[in-house]
Amino acid sequence: MNYSKLVSRHNIFCLAMCWLMLCVGDLQAQNVSDVSTQLAQAEVLREQGKLPQALSLLNKAQQQATLKSKQHTLILGLKANIMLLQRRYDEAFLILSETQPLAEKNQWWFIAGDQSSYLANLFLRQQNLEKAQRWFQKARSIAALSGDPLLSVQSGINLVRLQWQSAPESVPELAPLQQEISKISEYSGSEVLLNWAALLLDSLPMAQNKAQHKEQIFNALNRLLQNQQHFNQATLSQAYGLMARLYMTELRYEESLKLLNNAIYSAQQQPDLLYRWEWLSGQAWRNQGNLSEAVAALQRAVNHLETIRQDIPVDYVDGRSSFRQTLEPLYLELTDLLLLQAKQSEESSQQQAHLRQARATVELLKRSELEDYFDNRCIIDNQQQIDLSTVNQATAAIYPILLPDRMEILVSFANHIEQRTVAVGAAEISQAATALASSFRTLDPYYYTLSDQFYDWLISPINDLLQSRQIDTLIYLPDGPLRLVPLASISDGKQFLIEQYSIVTSPGLTLFDTSIRDKDEMQVLLAGLSTPGPVVDDVSERLYAAINVATDRQVKENLSRRLTYPRERREQEAQQRGQKARNKVSMLSRLRIVNKTAVTDKRSISDEDLRYISKRPGVKPQSNYQTKQAQLRQQLRIVNKIALQQNPQKTESDAALRIVAKYASQQALVAALQEREPQQPLRIVTKTRYQRPYAAEKVEAGTPQLLASNNTGQLRLLKRSLPENQAQLRLLKAQRLERLKNRLKLPGVDQEIENISRVFSGDALVNDDFSKQQFVDNMLSNRYDIVHIASHGVFGDSAENSFVMTYDEVLDMDQLEALLNHPKFSKAPVELITLSACQTADGDDRAPLGISGIALRAKVRSALGALWAVSDAATVELMSEFYANLKKPGMTKAQALREAQITMLQQEQYRHPFFWSAFILIGNWL
């Protein structure tokens, strides 16, 4: 049972009727009858999950009620409850923030208590556990005043679950609630009894006296099952299902299956219950060793769930949905059993059927994650599946499936699927993928160990299949953390995989079509930003917190330490590396790429380091500040504030994008600042809260103040003296913007656009010509087959946090999607969109979905983007090679990218995967 359920459905209806009778003096008899009917119908619709229809009836009832009356307050609360189920949290809060105090002021205790529960549930959905606990306590207190034992117990159950959620290892105190439960009548408190039984079942593993715990569960459910004639089918279904769960804890699978059959019979026409009991049935059958029955039950569970998937309220926490988090195990359990059946199948046709069914089940999960990312439940409903039988016979699709205890690799050929098993669990692969991706982003010279490991995991088990069929093109369908690692970058110690195969990445088995267009007729729109404009001031905080740039001079200075070493060269340098590895200092400190790592006490702070200091909300400090830089994430951030000093501006190639000073301790911070000779005196203010400190102290005019956080060791600007007139303010603002523009310059963009324009004809928008409006006008007034955007951009953890810079404004993914979905592109969609200077958020395995979303949402056939920020010069060379190759007759997009990447890695200064492997091709590879 879901502990966030507020009060029983029966109680809501009874409460509504009760207050309608109390309000009869304020209404005419006919109005009471009409409103009563509407509320009753709304409650039925709510139980059936038809929330819009229920809300419509409540709106009609509201129009007949007197403003701020008891009845009006009651109806508004019921509306807020439905809005809560629809995830319309802001609207629900606006209603409840007015109606709950009104009900409490007028001592309408039943209404005030229920609406306190609504508010508690709202904060619970928003993961504000402190406020949720406070409002559940308030609801329990009001229930004592109103004499409502049901609300009191329900709020108590919710409080126990909240405390349990905060401290999972603690044993909840249930004795006081048990006494209250014993006094509740099963006829009016059926929902409370069900929630109580569910709470006891969930806490059973921690119970000290398990026999007594089980007896309490049995007694609560038995009270309902012994009086079946008084309850509806949904209540009986839940009672049977929970009783089956109890029997399964005692390994009494035969009896539990009989109870589940009763639960399923009573839950007809209610798929939200059916999928739960079929899921349990599948687990019971599997525990009995009957795989065929288990698969059948789990498949029915998935089918029931899919029928209501669009109607299930979804909550998002850190970009991840409650749907994926809570229901993913069902899909993986079914996939696991199907793969086991495929291994046990003796007939080839039966084996292929199981493998196709397993792949289709994982596809449902992939679709769900894409819909979560874009907050759009219908994003890929109309997409077609890749049909390998219609494309080149030398093409294979690699489909890794991560399971808790192993990884299954499905290799799809034209009309056949092969299965391979790797005995490595999802957790280990996830950790290794994150580490390998970090080593690529940070130019770690010792990346090859993990790179070789991934080759052994992903390619070695299927290498014989690929070679025997003379495969030359791989369609890679990664999931979860595997999306962080470009397949092209893994190596067998002698060659990178891109040197053996052309590679295209796909979020799932989706492709628009496999036709090939005439390249001679292709028109290209080139849009580039070598020097940003007003966009710098427009979106500064969101922008600079995400973009990650290293200047070419900084990269070149470190190339001698950042080259790749194939296996045959490693042995020659093993002895030389031994002593250096023990004493070496990470070369990352020389790169002006700012990491989320602390500056050690031994490192001095330069004037340049103090120019931009940030304490960005939401960024948690690393638990171990001494961890190697190569293993930590990089993230740049900036504060939009005036520089602490007016230091001479360094050359453009030397200028870092931004600097973040973080320290292992406050003492290290103060000591470092004391060693420095500032041009202006600095005042250090220590505190842990955000109240205004030392208000009585006088601060010398013109002296910057810094706030040193005792908790994080970070600096942030607390206060500064403002210029005396607007002219000085405008001057300082202009100077700040100019510094930021210099740090965001991409000098290679001009050369990149010039090189591509020599290959394909079309139009070019550079710098101030690349305004948002001009870009839209060009797209709508001309026909372009290729759209190439060379400008800073980021794919974050959701579509909302993904954007591309134009000269004057940000172009977010929703706007780009709307533009490319214009009717003019319906018959001739864009063939290729390239985002050569964009990057994905560091360490977030969902961020690469943003590149996939361009191909899916914007209806373009292919998308080319980067997983991390690549140096300017390397990007220019790779893009120039790619388009020159693409123009050649018979050259596919995948082959063109492969040839360009091989050209790059054959150059000693670009051999590290940092420079060339970040670019991945999504969608149509032909």
Side-chain angles (χ1 to χ4, degrees):
M1 290 301 298
N2 187 343
Y3 71 94
S4 63
K5 191 180 291 291
L6 304 177
V7 292
S8 71
R9 300 166 180 171
H10 174 73
N11 289 340
I12 291 178
F13 177 68
C14 290
L15 182 62
M17 296 302 102
C18 175
W19 279 110
L20 282 173
M21 294 303 296
L22 290 176
C23 300
V24 68
D26 297 331
L27 299 168
Q28 297 181 359
Q30 182 62 43
N31 284 348
V32 173
S33 177
D34 291 344
V35 173
S36 302
T37 303
Q38 290 167 350
L39 288 177
Q41 293 175 349
E43 177 59 22
V44 172
L45 291 171
R46 190 187 70 84
E47 287 186 358
Q48 296 174 349
K50 300 178 180 179
L51 303 182
Q53 297 90 325
L55 195 59
S56 177
L57 281 176
L58 290 175
N59 286 332
K60 293 179 181 179
Q62 180 185 347
Q63 295 174 1
Q64 301 178 45
T66 304
L67 185 64
K68 293 190 177 181
S69 65
K70 298 175 185 178
Q71 184 190 44
H72 188 265
T73 306
L74 169 66
I75 295 172
L76 284 177
L78 297 176
K79 284 181 57 178
N81 187 30
I82 292 180
M83 291 176 179
L84 183 58
L85 296 176
Q86 294 177 318
R87 293 178 48 234
R88 296 162 59 181
Y89 300 139
D90 291 341
E91 296 174 73
F93 179 77
L94 287 176
I95 292 176
L96 294 172
S97 62
E98 294 186 4
T99 58
Q100 195 283 334
L102 178 64
E104 189 172 356
K105 178 181 178 181
N106 289 283
Q107 298 185 2
W108 302 332
W109 298 123
F110 282 98
I111 296 178
D114 277 339
Q115 294 188 7
S116 297
S117 292
Y118 298 164
L119 281 167
N121 199 51
L122 185 150
F123 289 120
L124 185 64
R125 294 285 185 88
Q126 296 178 328
Q127 297 298 305
N128 192 332
L129 302 186
E130 182 180 352
K131 286 188 176 181
Q133 182 177 7
R134 190 185 312 155
W135 279 102
F136 277 131
Q137 289 171 342
K138 189 176 187 65
R140 189 165 166 81
S141 300
I142 293 176
L145 293 174
S146 63
D148 185 354
L150 298 181
L151 178 59
S152 177
V153 173
Q154 184 63 63
S155 300
I157 292 173
N158 291 336
L159 282 171
V160 170
R161 282 196 179 271
L162 274 177
Q163 295 166 3
W164 189 10
Q165 184 173 343
S166 302
E169 301 301 325
S170 63
V171 179
E173 181 59 44
L174 303 177
L177 280 176
Q178 175 62 43
Q179 296 177 2
E180 295 182 49
I181 287 287
S182 63
K183 300 176 183 179
I184 290 179
S185 168
E186 61 269 18
Y187 305 115
S188 60
S190 59
E191 194 76 15
V192 173
L193 287 174
L194 291 172
N195 288 336
W196 172 246
L199 174 64
L200 292 174
L201 276 168
D202 292 339
S203 60
L204 182 59
M206 297 180 297
Q208 296 179 353
N209 190 337
K210 289 184 168 52
Q212 182 181 358
H213 214 72
K214 293 178 180 179
E215 184 179 357
Q216 293 177 0
I217 300 171
F218 179 85
N219 291 336
L221 296 174
N222 197 46
R223 290 173 63 182
L224 301 176
L225 295 177
Q226 291 297 322
N227 299 278
Q228 298 188 18
Q229 67 275 14
H230 299 290
F231 306 113
N232 58 32
Q233 293 297 304
T235 299
L236 293 176
S237 176
Q238 294 177 73
Y240 279 122
L242 292 174
M243 189 70 83
R245 280 185 58 190
L246 175 62
Y247 277 54
M248 288 180 67
T249 63
E250 297 186 342
L251 308 183
R252 297 162 64 178
Y253 299 121
E254 289 286 349
E255 295 166 277
S256 65
L257 283 170
K258 293 179 181 178
L259 289 167
L260 286 170
N261 286 337
N262 290 337
I264 291 170
Y265 177 81
S266 300
Q268 296 305 315
Q269 309 304 320
Q270 297 192 60
D272 60 324
L273 294 177
L274 286 171
Y275 88 83
R276 301 173 188 230
W277 311 141
E278 293 286 9
W279 188 355
L280 277 177
S281 297
Q283 293 174 345
W285 284 116
R286 179 174 186 169
N287 288 330
Q288 286 189 313
N290 194 329
L291 292 188
S292 60
E293 288 290 348
V295 167
L298 292 176
Q299 185 63 66
R300 289 193 297 269
V302 169
N303 293 341
H304 289 310
L305 187 57
E306 285 296 306
T307 62
I308 60 172
R309 185 175 58 88
Q310 303 294 340
D311 301 321
I312 295 178
V314 176
D315 296 317
Y316 295 86
V317 180
D318 296 330
R320 300 181 183 274
S321 77
S322 57
F323 182 91
R324 172 103 187 196
Q325 294 296 310
T326 58
L327 299 175
E328 180 180 61
L330 169 58
Y331 292 84
L332 291 182
E333 284 180 29
L334 175 57
T335 303
D336 187 6
L337 291 182
L338 288 168
L339 293 171
L340 289 176
Q341 277 192 322
K343 281 187 175 182
Q344 297 175 3
S345 299
E346 298 180 357
E347 296 183 6
S348 177
S349 59
Q350 191 176 28
Q351 180 192 55
Q352 292 298 302
H354 291 319
L355 292 176
R356 284 192 294 269
Q357 190 177 355
R359 189 179 62 186
T361 303
V362 178
E363 277 294 300
L364 295 176
L365 266 182
K366 289 178 176 288
R367 181 184 67 179
S368 173
E369 187 159 34
L370 275 169
E371 291 170 345
D372 290 349
Y373 182 87
F374 292 103
D375 198 4
N376 184 336
R377 309 303 291 272
C378 306
I379 181 175
I380 55 176
D381 282 350
N382 298 323
Q383 303 300 334
Q384 300 175 355
Q385 282 202 346
I386 296 176
D387 183 4
L388 294 179
S389 63
T390 64
V391 298
N392 193 321
Q393 297 293 311
T395 300
I398 301 178
Y399 206 117
I401 300 174
L402 300 181
L403 297 172
D405 61 336
R406 68 190 190 282
M407 176 174 65
E408 297 278 3
I409 304 176
L410 303 185
V411 187
S412 299
F413 302 102
N415 51 14
H416 186 71
I417 303 177
E418 291 285 349
Q419 176 186 9
R420 293 291 187 271
T421 303
V422 180
V424 181
E428 183 177 351
I429 292 176
S430 176
Q431 184 178 9
T434 302
L436 180 56
S438 177
S439 70
F440 288 155
R441 289 174 180 260
T442 58
L443 276 165
D444 189 339
Y446 304 110
Y447 69 88
Y448 48 76
T449 300
L450 283 173
S451 178
D452 294 353
Q453 181 65 75
F454 268 86
Y455 187 95
D456 293 340
W457 285 342
L458 290 171
I459 303 301
S460 294
I462 62 174
N463 203 26
D464 58 326
L465 301 174
L466 302 179
Q467 293 182 359
S468 63
R469 290 170 172 79
Q470 298 182 344
I471 298 299
D472 59 24
T473 301
L474 300 179
I475 305 173
Y476 183 47
L477 300 102
D479 187 32
L482 291 177
R483 287 190 291 257
L484 297 173
V485 178
L487 190 65
S489 64
I490 66 176
S491 166
D492 63 357
K494 298 179 180 179
Q495 285 185 313
F496 291 105
L497 192 63
I498 194 63
E499 298 179 80
Q500 304 173 45
Y501 304 98
S502 300
I503 299 172
V504 62
T505 304
S506 179
L509 292 177
T510 53
L511 190 68
F512 294 102
D513 62 73
T514 56
S515 60
I516 303 178
R517 295 187 184 177
D518 187 354
K519 298 175 185 177
D520 294 331
E521 300 178 359
M522 284 188 174
Q523 295 292 308
V524 61
L525 174 61
L526 301 170
L529 202 60
S530 60
T531 303
V535 67
V536 171
D537 191 38
D538 186 33
V539 290
S540 50
E541 288 190 13
R542 182 175 82 167
L543 183 65
Y544 303 123
I547 294 180
N548 184 356
V549 172
T551 64
D552 287 313
R553 179 171 177 177
Q554 294 159 1
V555 171
K556 291 177 182 178
E557 288 174 353
N558 292 276
L559 284 180
S560 60
R561 301 289 185 90
R562 298 296 173 186
L563 302 181
T564 186
Y565 293 89
R567 189 169 290 168
E568 62 266 27
R569 294 178 57 185
R570 296 177 203 154
E571 297 179 357
Q572 301 174 7
E573 299 192 11
Q575 294 180 351
Q576 301 176 15
R577 202 170 59 235
Q579 184 62 31
K580 293 181 180 180
R582 288 188 292 270
N583 301 322
K584 74 181 184 72
V585 177
S586 173
M587 294 301 295
L588 282 176
S589 60
R590 298 188 183 181
L591 284 176
R592 303 305 289 269
I593 302 177
V594 182
N595 299 306
K596 291 194 296 187
T597 53
V599 179
T600 64
D601 294 349
K602 297 181 180 179
R603 179 181 173 184
S604 62
I605 307 170
S606 66
D607 290 343
E608 184 70 17
D609 287 333
L610 285 176
R611 292 180 65 85
Y612 291 94
I613 301 175
S614 168
K615 182 180 178 184
R616 180 180 168 212
V619 177
K620 298 181 179 180
Q622 296 290 330
S623 58
N624 182 4
Y625 284 107
Q626 305 304 323
T627 306
K628 294 188 302 181
Q629 292 186 15
Q631 296 177 339
L632 296 178
R633 302 176 182 173
Q634 298 170 324
Q635 178 145 3
L636 298 177
R637 53 190 94 152
I638 195 168
V639 154
N640 275 331
K641 295 188 181 291
I642 302 173
L644 298 179
Q645 306 180 45
Q646 299 301 324
N647 290 334
Q649 179 65 48
K650 293 190 177 183
T651 62
E652 175 185 317
S653 60
D654 286 328
L657 178 61
R658 54 208 149 258
I659 300 298
V660 178
K662 296 176 64 175
Y663 303 88
S665 65
Q666 181 180 334
Q667 290 74 17
L669 160 67
V670 175
L673 286 175
Q674 289 175 348
E675 295 176 2
R676 177 179 170 275
E677 297 181 0
Q679 296 179 6
Q680 300 183 50
L682 293 177
R683 175 173 177 273
I684 305 300
V685 181
T686 61
K687 68 185 189 73
T688 57
R689 298 182 180 272
Y690 290 105
Q691 74 273 15
R692 294 176 63 88
Y694 310 106
E697 296 183 14
K698 294 184 179 180
V699 180
E700 183 179 348
T703 301
Q705 291 187 49
L706 295 182
L707 173 65
S709 169
N710 292 331
N711 297 327
T712 63
Q714 292 176 305
L715 288 177
R716 73 179 182 89
L717 191 59
L718 174 65
K719 181 181 179 181
R720 67 170 183 272
S721 57
L722 295 176
E724 296 181 357
N725 54 58
Q726 292 297 319
Q728 288 181 331
L729 181 61
R730 287 193 295 270
L731 177 61
L732 289 173
K733 182 177 180 180
Q735 291 174 347
R736 177 181 65 86
L737 291 179
E738 189 61 30
R739 289 193 294 270
L740 300 181
K741 289 179 182 179
N742 288 335
R743 284 165 172 76
L744 283 176
K745 283 184 177 180
L746 293 172
V749 165
D750 296 333
Q751 186 64 48
E752 180 180 328
I753 289 180
E754 181 180 349
N755 293 347
I756 299 173
S757 64
R758 295 172 183 165
V759 181
F760 288 95
S761 60
D763 301 316
L765 303 174
V766 183
N767 292 334
D768 55 348
D769 289 333
F770 181 29
S771 67
K772 185 175 180 179
Q773 187 59 51
Q774 187 62 47
F775 178 74
V776 172
D777 291 344
N778 274 54
M779 288 291 296
L780 296 180
S781 59
N782 301 284
R783 184 187 70 82
Y784 298 110
D785 303 286
I786 298 174
V787 178
H788 181 95
I789 301 177
S791 174
H792 285 302
V794 169
F795 292 104
D797 59 357
S798 66
E800 181 182 358
N801 296 322
S802 303
F803 56 89
V804 175
M805 286 176 58
T806 67
Y807 184 77
D808 56 346
E809 295 182 62
V810 153
L811 180 67
D812 62 40
M813 291 301 106
D814 289 334
Q815 295 167 335
L816 184 59
E817 173 203 1
L819 176 61
L820 294 174
N821 275 318
H822 191 274
K824 70 163 289 186
F825 298 110
S826 59
K827 294 184 178 179
V830 172
E831 176 71 20
L832 171 66
I833 183 169
T834 301
L835 303 169
S836 66
C838 289
Q839 65 187 76
T840 62
D842 183 12
D844 191 327
D845 61 39
R846 288 165 46 88
L849 293 174
I851 306 176
S852 305
I854 292 294
L856 290 170
R857 294 185 75 192
K859 305 297 189 295
V860 302
R861 286 161 51 88
S862 308
L864 179 61
L867 294 179
W868 56 80
V870 182
S871 74
D872 199 21
T875 301
V876 172
E877 186 163 345
L878 189 144
M879 286 295 140
S880 301
E881 287 287 337
F882 169 72
Y883 282 101
N885 295 333
L886 187 62
K887 186 71 172 181
K888 298 177 182 178
M891 182 77 71
T892 67
K893 292 190 278 293
Q895 292 170 344
L897 179 60
R898 173 176 180 257
E899 293 298 327
Q901 290 177 321
I902 290 177
T903 300
M904 295 290 292
L905 66 86
Q906 287 177 345
Q907 302 178 53
E908 191 68 11
Q909 70 270 29
Y910 291 141
R911 184 162 173 79
H912 194 287
F914 166 83
F915 295 101
W916 52 266
S917 70
F919 292 97
I920 59 173
L921 180 67
I922 304 286
N924 187 304
W925 68 93
L926 301 175

